[in-house]
Amino acid sequence: MKKVLLLLGPTLMIFIGLTLFANVPLTFGLFYGWLLLVPSIVNMKQPGLFKWRINFTKHSVILGTVSGLLFMILIFASVSYLFSFLIDLEFIRALLKKWNFDGGMVWLLIAVLIVLNPFLEENYWRNFIPEELKSSFSSGKSILIASFFYSFYHILSLIELFNWPFNVIAVLPVFLAGAIWGFIRQRTGSLAAPVLSHMLADAGIMLVYLVHIHVW
């Protein structure tokens, strides 16, 4: 039961904030509060269970930067190419306004997504959750399970942002990215490369928003 709650908790936070209240700032508060506080509380009860393990070496910086740039280019190029099929521009602008992802706060929200989000998501899904699962599953299965539930809550936003069937198909690259970051974390023993790669991938998503959606 504990593992199920840990796996579904982030999805529940996004469901409450985004689906029920349609408010991005509230969603960020609930979601990132969970990602930050839950591992901290568990670690207080079980000291030494896991550590952040962020070691910035030359190898990790190169690996994270190269993989992240590839993700950024793929995200921006693919969405830009398929933009007219993926998105109803007026609808998406109205939806983002409804979610309070507009106005002066938008730059703060973008900064949160690019800077804070990769650290907290990578720590939770590539560090904390695999440690919780390793007593029941192999390291490979733990990474895949974590990647599945990491991609699962993205459905809540993608299903409204993109037209069918792209909203469902778009979840597959999220799962793949999560699995790649998980195996990089396992191979290097550090979150440094996944965090850097994740930052650049999120920057690619925000670049799509700024170039194609944001009203200047």
Side-chain angles (χ1 to χ4, degrees):
M1 186 63 187
K2 174 189 172 184
K3 289 181 175 64
V4 173
L5 181 61
L6 293 175
L7 291 168
L8 289 177
T11 301
L12 179 60
M13 295 301 102
I14 290 182
F15 177 78
I16 293 171
L18 199 60
T19 305
L20 296 185
F21 289 94
N23 188 299
V24 169
L26 173 63
T27 303
F28 279 12
L30 292 172
F31 177 65
Y32 294 125
W34 180 280
L35 296 188
L36 179 63
L37 293 176
V38 169
S40 300
I41 292 171
V42 171
N43 202 42
M44 286 174 60
K45 293 182 178 180
Q46 299 172 268
L49 177 64
F50 78 100
K51 297 178 181 178
W52 275 76
R53 298 186 179 92
I54 300 182
N55 303 312
F56 286 97
T57 63
K58 181 180 179 180
H59 177 260
S60 67
V61 170
I62 293 174
L63 180 59
T65 302
V66 171
S67 61
L69 286 173
L70 287 174
F71 281 127
M72 177 192 285
I73 293 169
L74 285 171
I75 290 168
F76 184 77
S78 59
V79 176
S80 296
Y81 180 73
L82 297 170
F83 191 80
S84 60
F85 301 101
L86 292 174
I87 293 176
D88 181 333
L89 188 56
E90 294 307 314
F91 171 78
I92 200 70
R93 285 174 175 166
L95 181 62
L96 292 175
K97 185 175 182 179
K98 175 186 174 184
W99 286 350
N100 291 318
F101 195 91
D102 66 344
M105 185 176 285
V106 72
W107 296 104
L108 175 60
L109 298 178
I110 289 173
V112 168
L113 282 170
I114 295 177
V115 179
L116 181 65
N117 180 70
F119 279 96
L120 294 184
E121 282 197 320
E122 290 307 302
N123 180 59
Y124 193 87
W125 293 110
R126 258 60 78 179
N127 193 31
F128 173 67
I129 289 297
E131 287 293 325
E132 285 286 331
L133 295 177
K134 72 178 185 180
S135 61
S136 304
F137 304 95
S138 67
S139 58
K141 287 183 179 179
S142 296
I143 289 171
L144 294 177
I145 292 171
S147 300
F148 173 82
F149 284 95
Y150 162 70
S151 60
F152 185 67
Y153 58 75
H154 287 78
I155 295 174
L156 297 178
S157 57
L158 292 173
I159 202 167
E160 295 195 60
L161 290 172
F162 295 156
N163 295 324
W164 170 267
F166 298 107
N167 47 14
V168 175
I169 295 173
V171 178
L172 299 178
V174 177
F175 171 80
L176 181 60
I180 291 172
W181 291 329
F183 283 110
I184 289 175
R185 158 66 181 85
Q186 182 191 48
R187 188 70 179 268
T188 63
S190 170
L191 287 170
V195 166
L196 285 173
S197 183
H198 197 151
M199 280 182 167
L200 290 168
D202 283 354
I205 296 171
M206 291 301 100
L207 190 59
V208 170
Y209 168 76
L210 292 173
V211 172
H212 295 292
I213 300 172
H214 184 65
V215 178
W216 296 91

